[in-house]
Every structure is written in structure tokens, then in C-alpha cells.
Amino acid sequence: MRALSPVALGRAQLVRGLAALAGGPVMDAHEALLQAAELLRGRAPVEASDARFLAMEAAWAGGDVEACLAALDGGEDVSGLERDFADGLSAALTVRLDDARTALARVVAGDGGADDPRLLLRAGAAALVLGDTTAAARIHARALVRARAEHRTALLPHALEQLAYAELRAGRYSRAARAAREGLRTAEATGQHNVAAHQHAVLALVASVEGDGPAVTEHAGRALATAGPHGLVQAATLAEWALARAERGRGLAAQAAARLVPLVRPGPRGGHFALRMLVVPCFVETAVAAGRDAEARDAAEEYAAWAALGVDGPARAQSARCRALLAEGEASAYWFREAVRRHDSCGNDFERARTLLAYGTWLRRRRRPGDARGPLRDALVTFERAAAEGWAEHARSELRATGGASGGAADPAALRELTPQQQRIVRLVARGATNQEVADHLSLSPRTVDHHLRGVFARLGIRSRVELPGVVDGWDADREDPAPAAARPPGR
């Protein structure tokens, strides 16, 4: 019987590796894909390159840094932006951040160098490593469009998985949920159970933001059911994080802190290496509430050093929030204000709202209700816009405790406190104009309009734009100055 050629053997291993990556133990996939790359090296360079990158993806899902580096090493057939991606990722994994930024920035700038969805997905991954969630979401959305256009059904779940994660990192939870739900359907339809587990984990985190406890339990349970036997450390970390956030929302701080401790612990027995620092702000807040101040302080110090590296946009602001939670007296007020200032320049409105909620709560507990209402109202508006009902209810409760309104009609006279620009925006929105239409009418950007509306909602103590018509009507009625009854003409 004639022996199979190295290329045929390599392709057979590639098929085995792909099957394990889709629905089996990911480290088995890693081993098979590395063997495929070796057999195909020099004989089928494109397939060898794909096998190595797929082996890296398997190791990444498994949370194994050394295995990631092994997959990225030895790919001498790789050139151009793919070479930049391999070198940049290796540099990031070995904490050579200047080298990583230089190489990965070229990959992001080139959008993968082609319209090939696989190359676009690598460019999106490079953007995530750089902390550029906006670019990551844009590139992954483009990869999804290309995969659909080329009818690459097997690639759709992975493209949606990456898009959902990018939107999650950006704090755009409704978008993350939409991508994850579609990704879950396509993953289940194509038998990609590992991708489905990751999508369940994303949906669990979104549900923890929305305050939907049963959905957290359902999605996290389904993620962990696959993550455990298949070694999906990334999906397991996201699912456990979601469960901890749900527990914290129910007032179970000690239980939530205990669940988070392994996720922020370094080393192979800890959480996923790419998520560990992202979990720390949640751990610090939870640990402080649970009375575990020493552990919270240690984690916050490590987080501050990581935030200073500039690899995550909101990290400096969240580090300041951690300092505020651990400080005493007016030092806390300083760090809360510093956190808000840093949030204003880095995006992620949800994390900004979390800081405002923590600041408002701190002010209220120090018997400064008047000062607390502004941050709490601003936080409430953002949470309601994000459909984060659990967080919104927390903000409402704090706002009620200050003696301030937490919803309902605003005092029409408060509109006089708005700037002329804000008043113009309010009137247009009250008539039904969208942010884009207001922006076009007043020669502003939609982002500026949104910023003004956020301030208006906080100033008026209202929840959404649908309340503005009634407020404006009341304002107009209040401006009328009818003559006293005694001065009216007879019969009028």
C-alpha cells in the first residue's frame, strides 16, 4: 500500500484539528494543528500558515500563553502583515509592548491587507490586543460582511464571536447581545459547540448588566458545561465573571468576591491571561464591599501598573475609581473626580456611569445629598439608555435616598437653567427629531448632540427623550403670563 505524502498527512491533521477546535478539547486541536503546520511547511505554505494561526487560536481559547507562543514561532513561510501579526502578538504575550504596538498597528492600519475574512479577523484581533475596541468592532463587522458575501458559512460563527466580544469590550452591550445571539444560532447550526459556549458566556455578561438573573444562570451554565470538558478557559472566565456580577447585584458581596478571586489570580490556576486585568476593577469594588480590603488593595496596585502601560482605553479611569474606593476622606472625592475626568476622554459610557454611581453613593453616605444627585442622575440616564436595568434600579434607589426624583415629570422651570444651545436641542427633540436630524439642523456632530442630551436629562431629572414633549409644553405654559381674573374684560 502506498504511503500518504506529507501534504496529504498534513491536510488530514488539519481536518482533525479543525474538528477539535469546533467541538472538542482545544488543546487537542492545538496539537493536531501544529503537527499539520509542520507537515505542510515548505510544501503548502498558505495552509501551513493557517494551521499555525488556528493552533494559536486554540491555545488562546485554552488560556495557555506558552502554547500560543509555540504556535506563533517557526512560521518562516509567513510574510507581510501576517508576519507583523505573528511578531506583534508574540511581543504582546511576552510583554514587549513597544514592539507589539509597532507591529500590530501596521496590521490594524492595513485591515488585514485584503478582503479575505480570515485576514480581517486577525486584524480585528490585533486591534483588540491594542485596546482599540472601535477599530476591532469595525474590522470584525467587515469580516462578517465578507464571510456572508462569500457564503463561507463555517466562518460566520467565528466572525460573530469576535464581533460580539469586541462590542462587549467597548461597553456596547445591546450590540454585543445581537451579535452573540446570531452567532449562537449559526454556531449551533454548524456544530461549532466551542464557539457557542463563548457566545453563551457573552450573553451571560450582558444579562448581568441588564439585571436578568435567570438569563445569567442559564447562559453561564451552558457556557461552563462545554468550557469545562473542552478546556475553554476564556469562555469559563467570562461565565464566572457574569455569575459574580449577578451575585453582587443581589447583595451577595462575599460570595461574589470568592468567585472572582481565582479569576484575578496569575498563573495556570487563575483566570484567562487576557481577561485577568479586565476583571480586577469589578473584583476591587466587590472585595471592598465584602471587607476584603487587603486583597482589593493588592489587586488595585497591580492594576494601576498595568493601566499605566496604556493597553486598554478605560483602564486609567477605572484605576482611579479603584483608588477612590480604597481611599479615605477627601482623598476618595479627589480620585472619584479624577476617574470621571479620565472617563470623559476615553469613551465607554457604561464604565463612566458606574464611576458616577459609585461617586454619588459615596457622597450620599457622607450626607451630601445635593452633591450626590447630579452624578446619580447622569448615571441613571446612561444605564437606562443601555437597558442596564439592574444598574438603573441601583441608581434610582440611591437617587431616592438623596430625596431627589428618580423618574417622572421634571419641573418645567428647570429648563430655564439650560444653555441656549441645550434649549434648542430640547425643542427639536421634543418635536420628534433624531440626534442626526438635530445635528444637521444645528451644524453639530451627533456625538455633541448626545452629550448635550445626557446633560439635559441629568439636569431635569428625567429618564429619556420621550418625556421631553410634556416638559416643553409645561415650560411654554409657564412662560405665559395671563391677566388676573379681575382685570379680564367682562364675559371673557
Side-chain angles (χ1 to χ4, degrees):
M1 182 176 177
R2 184 178 178 182
L4 292 175
S5 69
V7 171
L9 288 170
R11 286 173 177 161
Q13 283 294 88
L14 181 57
V15 171
R16 292 190 189 97
L18 285 169
L21 184 59
V26 287
M27 296 315 294
D28 288 356
H30 172 265
E31 185 62 29
L33 290 164
L34 275 189
Q35 290 177 10
E38 286 301 310
L39 289 164
L40 296 169
R41 186 171 61 176
R43 301 177 178 91
V46 173
E47 291 171 278
S49 172
D50 277 343
R52 283 197 174 276
F53 283 121
L54 288 166
M56 186 279 297
E57 288 178 15
W60 189 284
D64 191 327
V65 173
E66 294 303 319
C68 287
L69 292 170
L72 293 167
D73 184 37
E76 48 280 324
D77 291 329
V78 177
S79 61
L81 292 177
E82 290 191 76
R83 178 78 271 161
D84 284 333
F85 179 69
D87 291 346
L89 204 54
S90 294
L93 291 168
T94 52
V95 202
R96 293 179 288 115
L97 296 184
D98 287 340
D99 292 341
R101 288 190 185 98
T102 300
L104 294 177
R106 285 196 294 267
V107 178
V108 174
D111 275 5
D115 280 335
D116 186 323
R118 279 205 176 279
L119 299 181
L120 286 167
L121 288 171
R122 289 170 199 164
L128 277 176
V129 173
L130 292 174
D132 189 346
T133 55
T134 299
R138 172 180 57 79
I139 295 170
H140 284 135
R142 187 176 161 206
L144 179 61
V145 169
R146 293 305 309 164
R148 284 174 173 152
E150 297 174 13
H151 304 290
R152 297 176 71 168
T153 305
L155 196 58
L156 285 176
H158 185 52
L160 285 158
E161 173 191 15
Q162 295 297 92
L163 177 58
Y165 182 66
E167 297 289 12
L168 185 74
R169 284 281 306 275
R172 296 188 288 262
Y173 295 106
S174 59
R175 294 185 186 182
R178 283 197 298 271
R181 289 189 188 101
E182 184 183 353
L184 183 57
R185 289 193 297 270
T186 59
E188 290 174 341
T190 55
Q192 298 188 46
H193 305 298
N194 290 342
V195 174
H198 194 272
Q199 300 289 33
H200 276 300
V202 169
L203 289 168
L205 265 173
V206 172
S208 75
V209 170
E210 295 172 343
D212 188 345
V216 174
T217 302
E218 169 69 16
H219 287 297
R222 295 187 67 176
L224 291 168
T226 301
H230 292 182
L232 303 173
V233 175
Q234 185 176 21
T237 300
L238 290 171
E240 293 285 0
W241 187 8
L243 289 168
R245 286 166 66 146
E247 289 164 348
R248 177 76 177 93
R250 298 199 304 273
L252 304 175
Q255 185 173 325
R259 189 184 294 277
L260 290 170
V261 164
L263 306 188
V264 298
R265 180 190 298 138
R269 295 178 59 200
H272 191 273
F273 61 83
L275 295 172
R276 191 169 73 87
M277 284 293 106
L278 301 181
V279 178
V280 166
C282 184
F283 171 70
V284 169
E285 183 179 6
T286 305
V288 168
R292 303 174 69 156
D293 288 11
E295 292 168 284
R297 203 171 301 279
D298 289 345
E301 288 177 4
E302 184 183 6
Y303 186 78
W306 178 78
L309 299 175
V311 295
D312 186 68
R316 293 177 188 267
Q318 291 176 270
S319 178
R321 183 174 76 209
C322 290
R323 287 179 181 271
L325 292 167
L326 290 162
E328 296 180 358
E330 285 306 304
S332 288
Y334 167 80
W335 282 112
F336 274 126
R337 290 193 297 268
E338 181 65 11
V340 174
R341 185 187 69 79
R342 294 179 182 182
H343 277 301
D344 288 340
S345 62
C346 69
N348 199 318
D349 287 345
F350 183 82
E351 287 301 329
R352 179 179 181 275
R354 286 189 61 187
T355 295
L356 288 168
L357 174 59
Y359 184 28
T361 301
W362 183 87
L363 289 166
R364 181 191 65 76
R365 290 175 179 173
R366 278 146 189 83
R367 296 181 172 84
R368 295 164 61 180
D371 293 335
R373 287 175 195 136
L376 291 172
R377 284 171 177 158
D378 199 355
L380 176 59
V381 168
T382 301
F383 291 142
E384 289 182 331
R385 185 184 296 120
E389 184 52 36
W391 289 95
E393 183 52 41
H394 187 181
R396 288 189 202 104
S397 176
E398 289 293 334
L399 194 52
R400 284 192 294 270
T402 69
S406 59
D411 178 3
L415 274 166
R416 296 181 185 133
E417 300 176 12
L418 305 180
T419 66
Q421 182 78 291
Q422 288 174 326
Q423 291 183 27
R424 286 191 287 270
I425 290 171
V426 164
R427 287 190 172 280
L428 289 168
V429 172
R431 293 173 195 156
T434 66
N435 285 10
Q436 184 64 60
E437 289 168 343
V438 174
D440 293 342
H441 186 79
L442 298 179
S443 299
L444 301 171
S445 72
R447 184 179 182 85
T448 299
V449 173
D450 182 72
H451 174 76
H452 278 304
L453 279 175
R454 198 163 56 211
V456 166
F457 292 164
R459 179 70 62 86
L460 300 181
I462 64 176
R463 300 182 184 184
S464 68
R465 63 201 299 137
V466 299
E467 297 180 57
L468 286 176
V471 173
V472 171
D473 289 345
W475 182 39
D476 289 341
D478 188 56
R479 290 181 65 181
E480 295 176 1
D481 187 19
R488 292 174 190 165
R492 295 290 179 93

